Amino acid sequence: MKKELGKWLMDIAKYLMTAAILSSIIADMGKTWYYYLLLMFVVVLILVIGLLLVREKKGRSLIC
């Protein structure tokens, strides 16, 4: 269940980036630096959460 949720969150991050790129091509937006900064923060946050849910735990060691 966690793995599927992680995959879904990674897909959402991809869709958000695609929407941002397409919207910047189609429309001229004001305050674009603020928009992209906020969007990148949200995408990275969603992507990290998705990757944490997808990873397989292999036992605890100090060396990866």
Side-chain angles (χ1 to χ4, degrees):
M1 182 73 173
K2 281 183 171 181
K3 194 174 271 193
E4 291 300 318
L5 180 62
K7 288 180 183 179
W8 184 76
L9 286 173
M10 288 189 295
D11 285 340
I12 294 298
K14 287 189 297 188
Y15 297 147
L16 283 173
M17 277 308 292
T18 304
I21 291 170
L22 289 176
S23 67
S24 68
I25 291 171
I26 293 172
D28 184 28
M29 299 175 294
K31 294 186 180 181
T32 55
W33 63 270
Y34 178 73
Y35 174 72
Y36 287 125
L37 185 65
L38 181 64
L39 183 72
M40 289 303 292
F41 175 74
V42 170
V43 167
V44 168
L45 181 68
I46 292 173
L47 185 63
V48 167
I49 293 171
L51 288 172
L52 287 174
L53 290 174
V54 169
R55 76 174 180 177
E56 294 180 15
K57 298 183 180 181
K58 291 184 180 179
R60 303 187 125 205
S61 71
L62 294 176
I63 301 172
C64 296

